[in-house]
Amino acid sequence: VQLVESGGGLVQAGGSLRLSCVASGFTLDDNAIGWFRQAPGKAREGVSCIRSSDGSTYYADSVKGRFTISRDNAKNTVYLQMNSLKPEDTAVYYCASLETGASSCLAIYYYSADYWGKGTLVTVSS
């Protein structure tokens, strides 16, 4: 049972990356899946989340309008499309999942996640 992130890398400011979070050993049905990030010396922060059952989403103000979260339940995968990247987006990005009947994916930010990935590094150069 695991979550595996991929898609990180080095990109210039203004560029784009698409992160993937693949679940294995369990299905993402009835889950809230969240993307978090942690920059060096900073606390971990919630970036975006999605409720797998209905696709409802949330975005932090810092990424609203630039990032898009989506899911492919058939592939048991959640994506984070990141456009117009800025140097301040540089961080290790993690995905996490929480099986919940909550009506909002924000539950992933209030309760302990069931599973975490190991993270993927995103570096945005200026």
Side-chain angles (χ1 to χ4, degrees):
V1 174
Q2 61 179 348
L3 290 172
V4 179
E5 305 96 335
S6 63
L10 173 63
V11 65
Q12 289 187 330
S16 298
L17 286 172
R18 187 177 82 155
L19 306 184
S20 299
C21 172
V22 181
S24 60
F26 71 107
T27 65
L28 291 175
D29 297 347
D30 298 321
N31 270 258
I33 300 97
W35 284 98
F36 298 76
R37 67 186 181 186
Q38 187 163 22
K42 294 189 177 181
R44 185 175 63 198
E45 64 171 333
V47 174
S48 179
C49 65
I50 188 166
R51 189 162 170 255
S52 60
S53 58
D54 64 2
S56 58
T57 59
Y58 158 84
Y59 297 95
D61 287 343
S62 57
V63 306
K64 200 172 295 183
R66 300 188 298 122
F67 290 11
T68 303
I69 192 170
S70 61
R71 93 281 195 213
D72 184 333
N73 286 351
K75 294 184 177 180
N76 228 20
T77 301
V78 171
Y79 304 98
L80 186 68
Q81 178 66 44
M82 307 187 296
N83 298 328
S84 302
L85 283 161
K86 305 175 181 180
E88 51 263 43
D89 294 318
T90 294
V92 178
Y93 284 71
Y94 302 89
C95 65
S97 67
L98 172 68
E99 186 173 6
T100 176
S103 59
S104 169
C105 69
L106 287 170
I108 191 70
Y109 298 126
Y110 296 118
Y111 299 99
S112 296
D114 295 324
Y115 303 110
W116 285 89
K118 294 183 177 180
T120 185
L121 176 63
V122 171
T123 304
V124 185
S125 64
S126 57

